[in-house]
Short mmCIF file of all heavy atoms in Angstrom, two decimals:
data_model
loop_
_atom_site.label_atom_id
_atom_site.label_comp_id
_atom_site.label_asym_id
_atom_site.label_seq_id
_atom_site.Cartn_x
_atom_site.Cartn_y
_atom_site.Cartn_z
N GLY A 24 0.80 -1.21 0.00
CA GLY A 24 0.00 0.00 0.00
C GLY A 24 0.83 1.26 0.00
O GLY A 24 0.32 2.35 -0.11
N GLY A 25 2.15 1.14 0.11
CA GLY A 25 3.00 2.31 0.03
C GLY A 25 2.83 3.25 1.22
O GLY A 25 2.23 2.92 2.21
N TRP A 26 3.39 4.40 1.07
CA TRP A 26 3.35 5.41 2.13
C TRP A 26 1.95 6.00 2.22
O TRP A 26 1.35 6.33 1.21
CB TRP A 26 4.35 6.51 1.83
CG TRP A 26 5.75 6.03 1.96
CD1 TRP A 26 6.35 5.04 1.24
CD2 TRP A 26 6.71 6.47 2.88
NE1 TRP A 26 7.62 4.84 1.65
CE2 TRP A 26 7.88 5.71 2.66
CE3 TRP A 26 6.71 7.42 3.87
CZ2 TRP A 26 9.02 5.89 3.40
CZ3 TRP A 26 7.87 7.61 4.60
CH2 TRP A 26 8.99 6.84 4.37
N ALA A 27 1.44 6.11 3.39
CA ALA A 27 0.14 6.75 3.65
C ALA A 27 -0.98 6.11 2.83
O ALA A 27 -1.90 6.78 2.41
CB ALA A 27 0.22 8.25 3.37
N GLY A 28 -0.87 4.83 2.60
CA GLY A 28 -1.96 4.12 1.92
C GLY A 28 -2.05 4.37 0.44
O GLY A 28 -3.08 4.11 -0.17
N VAL A 29 -0.98 4.87 -0.20
CA VAL A 29 -1.00 5.10 -1.64
C VAL A 29 -1.09 3.74 -2.33
O VAL A 29 -0.31 2.84 -2.04
CB VAL A 29 0.28 5.85 -2.09
CG1 VAL A 29 0.35 5.94 -3.60
CG2 VAL A 29 0.33 7.22 -1.45
N PRO A 30 -2.04 3.56 -3.23
CA PRO A 30 -2.19 2.26 -3.91
C PRO A 30 -0.95 1.88 -4.71
O PRO A 30 -0.25 2.74 -5.25
CB PRO A 30 -3.38 2.46 -4.84
CG PRO A 30 -4.09 3.65 -4.31
CD PRO A 30 -3.06 4.51 -3.64
N VAL A 31 -0.69 0.60 -4.78
CA VAL A 31 0.41 0.05 -5.56
C VAL A 31 -0.20 -0.70 -6.73
O VAL A 31 -1.14 -1.47 -6.54
CB VAL A 31 1.26 -0.93 -4.70
CG1 VAL A 31 2.32 -1.61 -5.54
CG2 VAL A 31 1.88 -0.19 -3.53
N ARG A 32 0.31 -0.47 -7.95
CA ARG A 32 -0.18 -1.20 -9.11
C ARG A 32 0.84 -2.24 -9.51
O ARG A 32 2.03 -1.97 -9.60
CB ARG A 32 -0.43 -0.26 -10.28
CG ARG A 32 -1.26 -0.98 -11.37
CD ARG A 32 -1.35 -0.20 -12.65
NE ARG A 32 -0.23 -0.59 -13.47
CZ ARG A 32 0.47 0.26 -14.22
NH1 ARG A 32 0.18 1.52 -14.24
NH2 ARG A 32 1.49 -0.17 -14.93
N VAL A 33 0.35 -3.44 -9.77
CA VAL A 33 1.18 -4.54 -10.24
C VAL A 33 0.48 -5.13 -11.46
O VAL A 33 -0.72 -5.39 -11.41
CB VAL A 33 1.34 -5.64 -9.15
CG1 VAL A 33 2.19 -6.78 -9.67
CG2 VAL A 33 1.93 -5.06 -7.89
N ASP A 34 1.23 -5.30 -12.54
CA ASP A 34 0.67 -5.91 -13.76
C ASP A 34 1.12 -7.35 -13.86
O ASP A 34 2.29 -7.66 -13.61
CB ASP A 34 1.13 -5.15 -15.01
CG ASP A 34 0.54 -3.75 -15.08
OD1 ASP A 34 -0.58 -3.55 -14.57
OD2 ASP A 34 1.20 -2.86 -15.64
N LEU A 35 0.20 -8.23 -14.22
CA LEU A 35 0.49 -9.65 -14.37
C LEU A 35 0.22 -10.04 -15.82
O LEU A 35 -0.79 -9.63 -16.39
CB LEU A 35 -0.42 -10.50 -13.48
CG LEU A 35 -0.21 -10.46 -11.98
CD1 LEU A 35 -0.76 -9.19 -11.37
CD2 LEU A 35 -0.88 -11.65 -11.36
N SER A 36 1.11 -10.82 -16.37
CA SER A 36 0.86 -11.42 -17.68
C SER A 36 1.08 -12.92 -17.54
O SER A 36 1.88 -13.37 -16.73
CB SER A 36 1.78 -10.83 -18.75
OG SER A 36 3.14 -11.03 -18.42
N VAL A 37 0.30 -13.68 -18.29
CA VAL A 37 0.34 -15.14 -18.24
C VAL A 37 0.81 -15.65 -19.59
O VAL A 37 0.36 -15.17 -20.63
CB VAL A 37 -1.07 -15.70 -17.91
CG1 VAL A 37 -1.10 -17.21 -18.04
CG2 VAL A 37 -1.49 -15.29 -16.51
N ARG A 38 1.72 -16.60 -19.55
CA ARG A 38 2.24 -17.17 -20.79
C ARG A 38 2.06 -18.68 -20.77
O ARG A 38 2.59 -19.37 -19.90
CB ARG A 38 3.71 -16.80 -20.95
CG ARG A 38 4.28 -17.11 -22.30
CD ARG A 38 5.70 -16.59 -22.48
NE ARG A 38 6.61 -17.12 -21.47
CZ ARG A 38 7.28 -16.40 -20.59
NH1 ARG A 38 7.15 -15.09 -20.57
NH2 ARG A 38 8.08 -16.96 -19.73
N CYS A 39 1.28 -19.17 -21.70
CA CYS A 39 1.13 -20.60 -21.89
C CYS A 39 0.61 -20.82 -23.31
O CYS A 39 -0.08 -19.97 -23.87
CB CYS A 39 0.20 -21.23 -20.85
SG CYS A 39 -1.43 -20.54 -20.78
N LEU A 40 0.94 -21.93 -23.87
CA LEU A 40 0.65 -22.22 -25.26
C LEU A 40 -0.84 -22.04 -25.58
O LEU A 40 -1.69 -22.71 -25.02
CB LEU A 40 1.08 -23.66 -25.59
CG LEU A 40 1.02 -24.07 -27.05
CD1 LEU A 40 1.94 -23.17 -27.88
CD2 LEU A 40 1.45 -25.51 -27.19
N ASP A 41 -1.17 -21.08 -26.43
CA ASP A 41 -2.51 -20.76 -26.93
C ASP A 41 -3.65 -20.82 -25.91
O ASP A 41 -4.79 -21.06 -26.26
CB ASP A 41 -2.84 -21.56 -28.20
CG ASP A 41 -2.89 -23.07 -28.02
OD1 ASP A 41 -2.06 -23.60 -27.29
OD2 ASP A 41 -3.76 -23.70 -28.63
N ARG A 42 -3.34 -20.57 -24.63
CA ARG A 42 -4.38 -20.48 -23.60
C ARG A 42 -4.17 -19.27 -22.70
O ARG A 42 -4.78 -19.15 -21.65
CB ARG A 42 -4.37 -21.74 -22.70
CG ARG A 42 -4.75 -23.01 -23.33
CD ARG A 42 -4.83 -24.18 -22.33
NE ARG A 42 -4.18 -24.00 -21.05
CZ ARG A 42 -2.91 -24.37 -20.77
NH1 ARG A 42 -2.15 -24.92 -21.67
NH2 ARG A 42 -2.42 -24.20 -19.56
N SER A 43 -3.30 -18.36 -23.10
CA SER A 43 -2.91 -17.27 -22.21
C SER A 43 -4.10 -16.42 -21.78
O SER A 43 -4.25 -16.12 -20.60
CB SER A 43 -1.85 -16.39 -22.88
OG SER A 43 -0.66 -17.12 -23.04
N GLU A 44 -4.95 -16.02 -22.71
CA GLU A 44 -6.09 -15.17 -22.34
C GLU A 44 -7.05 -15.93 -21.44
O GLU A 44 -7.52 -15.40 -20.43
CB GLU A 44 -6.83 -14.64 -23.56
CG GLU A 44 -7.96 -13.70 -23.16
CD GLU A 44 -8.62 -13.00 -24.34
OE1 GLU A 44 -8.14 -13.10 -25.48
OE2 GLU A 44 -9.65 -12.34 -24.09
N ARG A 45 -7.31 -17.17 -21.75
CA ARG A 45 -8.22 -17.98 -20.92
C ARG A 45 -7.66 -18.13 -19.51
O ARG A 45 -8.39 -18.01 -18.53
CB ARG A 45 -8.42 -19.34 -21.57
CG ARG A 45 -9.44 -20.20 -20.86
CD ARG A 45 -9.73 -21.48 -21.59
NE ARG A 45 -8.85 -21.65 -22.74
CZ ARG A 45 -8.59 -22.80 -23.33
NH1 ARG A 45 -9.16 -23.90 -22.90
NH2 ARG A 45 -7.78 -22.89 -24.36
N GLU A 46 -6.36 -18.39 -19.39
CA GLU A 46 -5.75 -18.55 -18.07
C GLU A 46 -5.73 -17.22 -17.31
O GLU A 46 -5.94 -17.19 -16.10
CB GLU A 46 -4.34 -19.13 -18.19
CG GLU A 46 -4.31 -20.55 -18.69
CD GLU A 46 -4.89 -21.56 -17.70
OE1 GLU A 46 -5.31 -21.20 -16.59
OE2 GLU A 46 -4.93 -22.75 -18.06
N LEU A 47 -5.50 -16.12 -18.01
CA LEU A 47 -5.51 -14.81 -17.37
C LEU A 47 -6.90 -14.50 -16.82
O LEU A 47 -7.05 -14.02 -15.70
CB LEU A 47 -5.08 -13.74 -18.37
CG LEU A 47 -4.67 -12.40 -17.81
CD1 LEU A 47 -3.47 -12.54 -16.88
CD2 LEU A 47 -4.33 -11.44 -18.93
N ARG A 48 -7.93 -14.84 -17.58
CA ARG A 48 -9.30 -14.65 -17.11
C ARG A 48 -9.60 -15.55 -15.91
O ARG A 48 -10.29 -15.15 -14.98
CB ARG A 48 -10.29 -14.90 -18.25
CG ARG A 48 -10.28 -13.81 -19.30
CD ARG A 48 -11.27 -14.09 -20.43
NE ARG A 48 -11.19 -13.11 -21.47
CZ ARG A 48 -11.75 -11.89 -21.43
NH1 ARG A 48 -12.45 -11.53 -20.37
NH2 ARG A 48 -11.61 -11.06 -22.43
N ALA A 49 -9.07 -16.77 -15.92
CA ALA A 49 -9.27 -17.69 -14.79
C ALA A 49 -8.59 -17.15 -13.53
O ALA A 49 -9.15 -17.22 -12.43
CB ALA A 49 -8.75 -19.08 -15.13
N LEU A 50 -7.39 -16.59 -13.68
CA LEU A 50 -6.71 -15.99 -12.53
C LEU A 50 -7.49 -14.79 -12.01
O LEU A 50 -7.64 -14.61 -10.80
CB LEU A 50 -5.28 -15.60 -12.90
CG LEU A 50 -4.47 -14.89 -11.82
CD1 LEU A 50 -4.40 -15.70 -10.53
CD2 LEU A 50 -3.07 -14.56 -12.35
#
């Protein structure tokens, strides 16, 4: 949450053979 509750952004990408979008949606 950082200093004084400042939001932290984290980006996630998923890599798997021709299922990346489906797995990202499942996560």
Side-chain angles (χ1 to χ4, degrees):
W26 291 61
V29 173
V31 174
R32 194 189 89 220
V33 179
D34 292 330
L35 290 76
S36 59
V37 172
R38 191 173 58 241
C39 57
L40 188 60
D41 62 321
R42 294 185 342 268
S43 294
E44 183 172 352
R45 185 174 7 159
E46 293 292 358
L47 196 61
R48 288 180 184 280
L50 177 55

